[in-house]
C-alpha cells in the first residue's frame, strides 16, 4: 500500500460545489493514470452544514479511506477546525483570504475574488489551485472543464478556462511547501471513474434490466438516477412510485409480464417492501433488490454508512423461501454481483439481493471498463412453451424450477398466486399440495446453495491474525493486514447468504486469532456464521458511528483485543 | 371469435346470491363481445372475495397482495402494452389498504381498468366496516356504528379528473357489461365502481336497497366536469349509474421514447450501446 498516496480533503457547506470540485479533480487524476478512492461525507440537508469530499490518490491501487489529510481545501473556516487534527507535518491547507490560519504553517491563502470575478467560479478557482499544488497536468483539467460546460456554450467554457488557468498559474508564484504527486504508473490501461452505485446500475443494465420502479431514498437514489440517466438509450422504462410498497409490487407485476425489473432502496424503504418480497417468494417471480445500507433504526443517520441491515435482508419476508444475498466490496464487485443476482433470479425464480452501503455507494474509484463479453448470458423466460394449452406455471416435475412463461406470447395462461396454489396457479388449501409446492420452492435453495461464491482469501497461509469481513469492509481490512506487525490474512465474503462451509472452514481453523470486522454494533455476520457453521468468533472490531472503517480504526481496535 | 365459454366455468367459493356472480358473468360477456381472447388478458387482483374473481376465469392471472393490485397491474401494462390489463378489486382492497395506490393510479393514467366490487363492507374477514360503509352503520367490529365518514371513490376520481369514471350495479348486468366494455376500451386509467350486495354481512345495503335507488344516467354529458361532480356526489336516496366522467388526457408515457409499446420480454439491448455508456464514465 502506497506510502506514496496523498489524501485530499475538500470541505465546506452543502451548496458550495464541493462535489463538483471533487469529482472533477478525481476524474482528472483517473485520466492522468492514477488510482483514486473517494470518501464522501455529507449531512442530511441541502444547504449549509459541514460536508466533505475526500480523494485518496496515488500510482498504486488504493483500498480504503484514511484519516491523514495531506491537502485540506477549506471552503470555509469550519473545515479547518473540523479537520485540524488530521493534518500532518507535510500537510498543506488551501484556504480563503479572510480565514484565520495564523497558527498553521503551510498555507496557500487564495485570493478568490481576485482570481474570479463571480462567486459562481470559486469552485473552479479551488480546482485550479488544487490541481496546481499537486502538479496535475493542466491540459487534462482544461479538457474536463470544456466537456463539463460544453452544453452551456463556448462563452461559458472560455470563462471557466480563464479562471482555471489564472488560478493554476497563481499557485506557481506562491511560496509553499508541498511535494508533487508521484508520477502515475504507466500501465497503459485507460480506466473509468465510477462509484459503487453507478457500477450497480451498469451491472443491472448489462444483465438486461429494463424496468425500474423505485421510491427515492438515500443512499440508494443514485442507482436509480444512473439507471434513468444512462439506461434510456437501452430502452429502460422507469417510474418513481408513490411509496416503496408500490415500487416492489409494480416490479413484480412487470416481472410477471416479461420485464426484467430492478428495485432500489435503503433499509427503511426495504422494511416497507418486505411483504412484496414474500410475494416474490411464493409466486416465484424473479426480482432483484438493491439495498444500499445506512445506519438505522428508523431514519437513523440518513446520509452515513453502516452494515446494519444484514439481518433484515436475511429474514425479510414471512414464510420460508430461498434467497441469496450478495455483498460487494468494490465497484467491480458491484457490477459483477448485480449481474449475478439477475442471472440467479431468472434461473431460480426467487428474490436476490445486492447489499451495499453508503460508503461504497459514493466511493468513486478508477476501474477498468467492464468486459461485457466475458459475462454469462442471463437466461430469460420461455416465450412459447411446448403444449401451451396445457401449460402449468407451477408444474411439479424433475426440476424444482418450473418453466416460466410470460402472458400474451402464446396460448399458455400464466397464473400466479399469493395464496398457496396448485400446479395451475389456483388457490388450493389441500395439505399434500402445500407440502409439494412448498418443498418445490425450498428445493431451489439447495441448488442455489451449490452455486455459492466462495469467499476471497488474502495473505498468509497460517496467519496469527485473520480478519473476517463482508461487503465494503474488505478494503480497510486489506490495508490493516499489510500494516499489521506479524502474519495476517483477510477472509472476505462477497456472498453472505447462503454460506457453504467447506469453502472457508479450513481458513478459520488454521488461523490464530479470528477477528470479525464489521460496520455494525452487534457483529451480525459473525452471528450468522456461528448459526450456520457452529464456528464462534469471539473477537470483534465493530464500527457503528456512521463513518467508514479505516485501517487505523482496525489497528487501534486490535490493541484492545490482544 | 372469443366467447364467454372460453373464459371457463368454475365452481366458486362465493355465497349464493353474492353480487360477485353477476359481475363475473358480465365481465366474461364484455370480454367476449370485445373479442379479447383469454391469453391476451391479464387479470390482476389483490385480496378479498372480489379479488378471487380471476380464480374463476381462464386467463392470465396475477393474484397478489391485499391492496397492491394497482401497482402490480400498472407494472404489467408497462412491461407489455399489448396486454389488456384489468385489476379486479374490492372496496377494502383498493380504497382502504391500497388508497395511496388508488390516488397514484388515477394521477398516473396508465392504460388499465379497475373494476372495484363495492359492497360497502368487508366480506372475506366477515363483516367489518369498509372505507365505503356509511357513517353510523353498525357492524360486529364497529358496534357503536362506523365512526368515519364514507369514502366516495367516484367523487374522488372525478374530482381528480381521472381518465374514465363509471358506476354500475351488479343487479343490472346488461348495463354493467356495457360499462366494463367502455372502461376497457378507454385509453388511460378507467374505473368502474360496481355496487353489489353482500348477502352475508351487509344487512343495510341489500340487493333491494341498491335496486330501489340505482337509476341509469340519461342526458348526462360525462365531459362536463361540473355536471360530473354533481352526479358523482349523488349517493343516498337515488344513485346514478353510468359513465360519470371521462377525459382524453395523455396516457402515461406518451412522448417518452422508452415507452414505445414494444413488450419488454422481447426487447434486447445492444452491447455496443452499453459499452459506450460505460466509456462515458471516463
Amino acid at each position: 500500500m502506497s506510502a506514496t498516496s496523498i489524501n485530499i480533503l475538500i470541505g465546506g457547506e452543502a451548496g458550495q460545489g464541493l462535489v463538483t470540485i471533487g469529482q472533477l479533480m478525481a476524474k482528472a487524476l483517473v485520466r492522468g493514470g492514477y488510482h483514486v478512492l473517494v470518501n464522501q461525507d455529507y449531512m442530511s440537508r441541502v444547504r449549509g452544514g459541514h460536508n466533505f469530499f475526500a480523494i485518496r490518490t496515488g500510482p498504486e491501487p488504493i483500498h480504503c479511506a484514511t484519516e491523514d489529510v495531506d491537502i485540506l481545501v477549506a471552503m470555509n473556516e469550519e473545515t479547518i477546525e473540523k479537520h485540524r487534527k488530521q493534518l500532518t507535518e507535510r500537510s498543506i491547507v488551501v484556504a480563503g483570504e479572510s480565514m484565520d490560519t495564523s497558527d498553521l504553517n503551510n498555507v496557500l491563502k487564495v485570493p478568490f475574488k481576485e482570481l474570479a470575478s463571480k462567486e459562481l467560479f470559486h469552485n473552479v478557482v479551488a480546482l485550479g489551485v488544487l490541481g496546481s499544488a499537486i502538479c496535475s497536468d493542466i491540459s487534462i483539467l482544461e479538457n474536463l472543464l470544456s466537456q463539463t460546460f460544453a452544453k452551456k456554450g463556448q462563452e461559458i467554457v472560455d470563462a471557466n478556462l480563464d479562471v482555471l488557468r489564472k488560478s493554476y498559474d497563481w499557485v506557481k508564484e506562491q511560496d509553499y511547501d508541498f511535494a508533487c504527486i508521484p508520477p502515475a504508473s504507466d500501465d497503459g490501461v485507460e480506466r473509468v471513474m465510477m462509484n459503487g452505485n453507478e457500477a450497480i446500475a451498469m451491472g443491472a443494465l448489462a444483465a438486461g434490466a429494463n424496468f425500474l420502479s423505485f421510491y427515492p431514498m438515500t443512499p440508494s437514489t443514485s442507482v436509480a438516477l444512473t439507471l434513468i440517466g444512462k439506461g434510456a438509450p437501452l430502452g429502460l422504462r422507469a417510474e418513481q412510485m408513490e411509496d416503496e410498497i408500490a415500487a416492489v409490487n409494480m416490479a413484480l407485476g412487470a416481472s410477471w409480464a416479461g420485464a426484467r425489473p430492478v428495485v432500489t432502496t435503503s433499509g427503511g424503504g426495504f422494511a416497507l417492501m418486505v411483504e412484496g418480497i414474500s410475494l416474490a417468494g411464493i409466486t416465484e417471480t424473479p426480482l432483484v433488490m438493491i439495498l444500499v445500507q445506512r445506519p438505522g433504526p428508523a431514519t437513523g443517520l440518513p446520509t452515513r454508512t453502516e452494515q446494519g441491515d444484514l439481518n433484515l435482508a436475511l429474514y425479510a419476508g414471512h414464510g420460508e423461501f430461498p434467497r441469496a444475498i450478495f455483498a460487494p466490496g468494490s465497484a467491480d464487485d458491484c457490477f459483477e454481483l448485480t449481474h449475478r443476482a439477475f442471472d440467479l433470479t431468472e434461473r431460480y425464480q426467487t428474490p436476490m439481493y445486492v447489499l451495499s452501503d453508503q460508503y461504497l455507494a459514493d466511493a468513486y474509484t478508477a476501474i477498468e471498463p467492464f468486459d461485457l463479453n466475458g459475462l454469462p448470458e442471463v437466461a430469460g423466460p420461455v416465450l412459447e412453451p411446448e403444449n401451451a394449452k396445457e401449460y402449468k406455471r407451477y408444474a411439479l416435475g424433475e426440476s424444482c424450477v418450473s418453466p416460466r412463461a410470460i402472458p400474451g406470447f402464446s396460448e399458455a395462461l400464466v397464473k400466479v398466486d399469493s395464496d398457496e396454489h396448485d400446479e395451475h396457479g389456483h388457490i388450493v388449501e389441500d395439505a399434500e399440495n402445500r407440502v409439494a409446492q412448498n418443498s418445490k420452492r425450498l428445493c431451489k435453495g439447495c441448488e442455489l446453495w451449490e452455486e455459492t461464491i466462495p469467499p476471497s482469501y488474502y495473505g498468509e497461509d497460517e496467519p496469527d491474525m485473520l480478519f473476517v469481513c463482508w461487503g465494503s469492509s474488505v478494503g480497510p481490512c486489506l490495508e490493516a493486514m499489510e500494516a499489521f506487525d506479524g502474519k495476517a490474512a483477510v477472509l472476505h465474503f462477497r456472498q453472505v447468504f447462503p454460506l457453504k462451509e467447506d469453502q472457508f472452514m479450513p481458513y478459520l481453523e488454521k488461523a490464530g486469532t479470528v477477528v470479525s470486522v464489521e460496520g455494525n454494533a452487534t457483529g451480525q455476520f459473525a452471528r450468522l456464521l456461528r448459526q450456520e457453521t457452529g464456528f464462534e468468533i469471539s473477537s470483534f472490531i465493530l464500527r457503528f458511528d456512521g463513518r467508514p472503517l479505516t485501517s487505523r480504526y482496525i489497528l487501534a481496535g486490535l490493541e484492545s483485543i490482544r | 371469435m372469443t366467447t364467454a365459454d372460453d373464459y371457463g366455468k368454475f365452481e366458486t367459493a362465493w355465497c349464493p346470491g353474492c353480487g360477485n356472480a353477476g359481475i363475473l358473468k358480465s365481465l366474461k360477456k364484455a370480454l367476449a363481445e370485445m373479442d379479447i381472447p383469454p391469453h391476451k388478458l391479464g387479470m390482476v387482483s389483490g385480496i378479498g372475495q372480489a379479488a378471487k374473481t380471476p380464480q374463476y376465469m381462464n386467463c392470465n392471472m396475477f393474484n397478489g397482495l391485499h391492496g397492491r393490485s394497482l401497482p402490480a397491474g400498472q407494472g404489467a401494462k408497462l412491461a407489455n402494452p399489448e396486454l389488456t390489463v384489468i385489476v379486479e378489486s374490492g372496496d377494502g382492497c383498493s380504497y382502504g389498504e391500497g388508497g395511496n395506490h388508488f390516488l397514484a393510479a388515477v394521477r398516473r393514467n396508465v392504460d388499465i381498468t379497475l373494476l372495484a366490487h363495492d359492497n360497502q363492507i368487508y366480506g372475506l374477514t366477515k363483516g367489518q366496516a369498509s372505507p365505503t360503509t356509511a357513517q353510523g352503520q353498525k357492524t360486529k367490529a364497529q358496534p357503536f356504528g362506523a365512526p368515519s365518514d364514507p369514502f366516495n371513490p367516484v367523487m374522488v376520481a372525478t374530482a381528480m379528473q381521472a381518465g374514465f369514471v363509471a358506476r354500475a350495479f351488479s343487479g343490472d348486468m346488461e348495463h354493467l357489461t356495457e360499462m366494463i366494455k367502455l372502461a376497457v376500451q378507454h385509453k388511460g386509467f378507467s374505473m368502474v365502481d360496481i355496487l353489489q350486495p353482500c348477502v352475508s354481512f351487509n344487512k343495510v345495503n341489500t340487493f333491494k336497497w341498491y335496486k330501489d335507488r340505482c337509476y341509469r344516467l340519461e342526458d348526462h354529458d360525462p365531459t362536463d366536469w361540473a355536471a360530473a361532480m354533481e352526479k358523482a356526489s349523488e349517493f343516498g336516496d337515488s344513485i346514478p349509474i353510468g359513465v360519470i366522467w371521462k377525459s382524453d388526457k395523455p396516457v402515461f408515457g406518451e412522448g417518452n421514447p422508452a415507452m414505445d409499446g414494444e413488450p419488454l420480454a422481447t426487447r434486447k439491448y445492444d452491447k455496443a450501446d452499453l459499452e459506450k455508456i460505460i466509456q462515458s464514465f471516463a
Side-chain angles (χ1 to χ4, degrees):
Chain A
M1 179 56 46
S2 36
T4 52
S5 81
I6 60 170
N7 191 26
I8 302 162
L9 191 147
I10 305 154
E13 288 179 16
Q16 285 191 303
L18 310 180
V19 175
T20 311
I21 310 169
Q23 280 179 340
L24 289 171
M25 192 65 242
K27 207 165 230 197
L29 287 161
V30 173
R31 288 191 181 181
Y34 290 97
H35 286 273
V36 298
L37 188 134
V38 169
N39 171 30
Q40 294 191 55
D41 185 287
Y42 48 99
M43 296 177 75
S44 183
R45 55 191 287 179
V46 177
R47 288 271 180 275
H50 176 69
N51 295 356
F52 68 79
F53 188 103
I55 309 165
R56 194 175 173 193
T57 182
E60 302 294 325
I62 288 161
H63 296 316
C64 64
T66 185
E67 284 85 354
D68 289 349
V69 173
D70 301 302
I71 302 184
L72 180 64
V73 182
M75 299 298 283
N76 61 5
E77 220 157 292
E78 191 188 5
T79 299
I80 298 175
E81 288 320 306
K82 291 253 182 198
H83 299 281
R84 178 183 292 274
K85 284 186 191 155
Q86 291 164 263
L87 296 172
T88 65
E89 279 177 8
R90 70 160 177 161
S91 299
I92 181 173
V93 176
V94 176
E97 252 179 338
S98 58
M99 294 180 200
D100 177 13
T101 55
S102 50
D103 60 336
L104 298 167
N105 41 26
N106 201 10
V107 184
L108 265 175
K109 288 199 97 168
V110 183
F112 278 95
K113 281 184 189 156
E114 195 183 302
L115 293 169
S117 50
K118 289 185 202 158
E119 204 175 330
L120 185 70
F121 292 121
H122 284 191
N123 55 5
V124 180
V125 173
L127 182 68
V129 170
L130 177 58
S132 188
I134 62 171
C135 318
S136 181
D137 185 344
I138 190 167
S139 65
I140 296 178
L141 287 168
E142 287 170 341
N143 282 338
L144 257 177
L145 271 196
S146 304
Q147 283 173 6
T148 307
F149 296 106
K151 275 187 194 158
K152 296 191 177 174
Q154 195 56 42
E155 210 172 307
I156 304 281
V157 170
D158 289 342
N160 275 284
L161 287 178
D162 184 48
V163 173
L164 178 82
R165 288 178 190 134
K166 250 166 97 178
S167 310
Y168 193 92
D169 293 340
W170 173 83
V171 176
K172 299 297 168 205
E173 292 155 20
Q174 306 307 308
D175 180 25
Y176 69 103
D177 181 24
F178 193 80
C180 292
I181 185 170
S185 64
D186 188 14
D187 58 7
V189 179
E190 289 198 8
R191 296 181 177 84
V192 298
M193 187 176 92
M194 222 178 261
N195 65 33
N197 275 1
E198 289 168 342
I200 285 174
M202 292 304 111
L205 291 176
N210 51 24
F211 192 90
L212 163 74
S213 45
F214 76 108
Y215 189 85
M217 185 170 182
T218 306
S220 70
T221 310
S222 61
V223 179
L225 296 184
T226 307
L227 282 164
I228 294 166
K230 304 282 186 185
L234 304 184
L236 179 102
R237 288 180 195 159
E239 172 64 343
Q240 178 182 320
M241 300 303 290
E242 55 272 24
D243 58 33
E244 284 88 349
I245 297 172
V248 68
N249 280 281
M250 178 180 261
L252 291 173
S255 188
W256 167 68
R260 186 163 292 166
V262 55
V263 174
T264 61
T265 192
S266 182
F270 187 86
L272 285 174
M273 294 179 180
V274 166
E275 178 200 38
I277 289 161
S278 185
L279 176 64
I282 195 163
T283 57
E284 307 190 43
T285 306
L287 177 68
V288 171
M289 305 285 313
I290 308 294
L291 198 186
V292 188
Q293 300 165 98
R294 72 189 213 189
T299 316
L301 291 172
T303 60
R304 298 212 153 76
T305 199
E306 192 163 280
Q307 294 182 296
D309 295 338
L310 173 60
N311 286 341
L312 173 68
L314 202 52
Y315 301 111
H318 50 292
E320 299 169 296
F321 56 91
R323 72 195 78 193
I325 306 172
F326 299 100
S330 65
D332 283 311
D333 276 0
C334 284
F335 178 83
E336 184 197 326
L337 296 174
T338 302
H339 185 277
R340 182 161 179 81
F342 278 97
D343 178 45
L344 291 178
T345 201
E346 285 289 340
R347 285 197 281 126
Y348 291 102
Q349 303 172 10
T350 197
M352 299 292 157
Y353 311 77
V354 177
L355 192 57
S356 182
D357 56 44
Q358 180 268 327
Y359 163 69
L360 190 56
D362 293 327
Y364 287 101
T365 50
I367 53 172
E368 292 180 31
F370 309 113
D371 172 20
L372 299 181
N373 295 317
L375 294 169
E377 192 71 33
V378 176
V382 185
L383 292 181
E384 286 176 28
E386 284 175 43
N387 305 322
K389 285 194 165 175
E390 306 297 315
Y391 177 75
K392 292 184 280 193
R393 173 66 188 88
Y394 302 111
L396 297 165
E398 285 166 25
S399 166
C400 31
V401 182
S402 318
R404 186 170 74 97
I406 298 297
F409 286 89
S410 70
E411 289 198 33
L413 299 180
V414 186
K415 303 182 180 196
V416 310
D417 202 324
S418 62
D419 281 82
E420 189 56 272
H421 41 254
D422 62 14
E423 290 181 275
H424 296 276
H426 283 287
I427 299 178
V428 171
E429 301 200 13
D430 168 80
E432 278 176 26
N433 174 75
R434 160 67 180 178
V435 171
Q437 285 292 338
N438 207 30
S439 303
K440 178 179 97 78
R441 291 190 294 269
L442 293 175
C443 135
K444 296 188 291 187
C446 303
E447 294 183 12
L448 191 56
W449 179 78
E450 292 288 354
E451 294 201 46
T452 302
I453 303 176
S456 309
Y457 187 83
Y458 307 89
E460 301 274 354
D461 256 355
E462 290 180 10
D464 302 324
M465 181 65 65
L466 175 65
F467 299 111
V468 176
C469 60
W470 60 283
S472 73
S473 302
V474 63
C477 283
L478 288 174
E479 193 167 300
M481 173 186 84
E482 285 170 16
F484 182 76
D485 184 17
K487 288 167 71 181
V490 172
L491 183 61
H492 176 233
F493 288 80
R494 301 195 303 154
Q495 178 169 352
V496 289
F497 191 81
L499 293 172
K500 202 161 180 268
E501 253 180 273
D502 60 356
Q503 291 175 338
F504 57 84
M505 279 310 288
Y507 296 124
L508 295 174
E509 281 158 357
K510 273 197 288 186
T513 306
V514 178
V515 188
S516 174
V517 183
E518 301 186 49
N520 58 55
T522 54
Q524 293 182 18
F525 183 69
R527 284 165 185 246
L528 172 63
L529 208 59
R530 185 179 67 186
Q531 178 184 311
E532 298 287 308
T533 66
F535 186 91
E536 175 142 14
I537 296 179
S538 50
S539 300
F540 294 90
I541 294 172
L542 305 170
R543 186 161 199 175
F544 51 96
D545 59 4
R547 275 65 185 174
L549 279 156
T550 61
S551 63
R552 185 180 295 176
Y553 186 95
I554 295 169
L555 294 170
L558 281 182
E559 294 302 318
S560 59
I561 287 171
R562 284 203 281 183
Chain B
M1 210 42 213
T2 308
T3 68
D5 288 345
D6 292 339
Y7 279 91
K9 285 200 171 112
F10 295 80
E11 191 188 327
T12 76
W14 291 326
C15 309
C18 175
N20 284 339
I23 299 173
L24 176 62
K25 203 169 169 187
S26 305
L27 173 60
K28 286 181 183 173
K29 190 158 180 275
L31 290 165
E33 288 176 12
M34 288 183 288
D35 196 20
I36 297 171
H39 71 279
K40 292 287 183 194
L41 174 69
M43 291 288 292
V44 181
S45 64
I47 297 300
Q49 294 294 7
K52 284 183 184 166
T53 307
Q55 299 279 345
Y56 309 134
M57 293 173 67
N58 255 335
C59 65
N60 296 299
M61 166 185 89
F62 185 97
N63 183 197
L65 297 171
H66 191 41
R68 316 300 173 209
S69 48
L70 282 168
Q74 293 166 85
K77 184 70 185 184
L78 295 181
N80 185 359
E82 291 169 8
L83 205 62
T84 299
V85 175
I86 296 178
V87 170
E88 197 88 9
S89 178
D91 41 323
C93 198
S94 274
Y95 305 149
E97 186 103 21
N100 190 20
H101 309 315
F102 174 69
L103 298 181
V106 169
R107 290 179 50 222
R108 200 173 278 125
N109 206 31
V110 174
D111 183 19
I112 61 168
T113 298
L114 168 67
L115 301 180
H117 302 211
D118 188 353
N119 57 13
Q120 303 185 256
I121 201 80
Y122 277 39
L124 185 64
T125 53
K126 305 190 175 179
Q128 301 79 20
S130 92
T132 54
T133 303
Q135 196 268 336
Q137 187 170 325
K138 287 181 182 171
T139 75
K140 265 190 243 168
Q142 287 81 22
F144 305 108
S148 305
D149 282 334
F151 180 73
N152 181 335
V154 171
M155 199 174 175
V156 170
T158 304
M160 292 173 72
Q161 307 202 331
F164 177 100
V165 185
R167 186 186 275 132
F169 168 45
S170 67
D172 186 348
M173 289 200 282
E174 185 197 328
H175 180 260
L176 171 58
T177 305
E178 196 54 33
M179 290 303 111
I180 294 173
K181 279 164 64 180
L182 290 174
V184 171
Q185 283 158 357
H186 175 81
K187 288 295 273 180
F189 178 78
S190 55
M191 61 174 277
V192 187
D193 185 63
I194 308 167
L195 299 170
Q196 62 151 133
C198 173
V199 291
S200 298
F201 299 109
N202 191 340
K203 305 298 185 193
V204 177
N205 311 110
T206 58
F207 184 85
K208 186 175 184 312
W209 191 92
Y210 289 122
K211 181 91 183 151
D212 289 349
R213 286 164 174 76
C214 290
Y215 71 94
R216 290 191 190 186
L217 272 175
E218 277 164 26
D219 300 328
H220 169 63
D221 175 6
T223 62
D224 176 343
W225 187 66
M229 282 302 285
E230 196 176 314
K231 285 296 163 194
S233 67
E234 191 179 327
F235 194 94
D237 291 340
S238 64
I239 305 171
I241 57 172
V243 181
I244 305 280
W245 161 255
K246 67 175 179 180
S247 77
D248 52 3
K249 62 180 183 175
V251 176
F252 181 86
E254 266 182 34
N256 176 351
M259 304 280 181
D260 70 2
E262 190 186 333
L264 290 178
T266 47
R267 202 159 176 163
K268 296 278 176 276
Y269 77 86
D270 188 340
K271 265 186 195 167
D273 288 341
L274 183 56
E275 263 160 15
K276 258 186 249 160
I277 290 168
I278 291 169
Q279 278 303 337
S280 74
F281 287 88

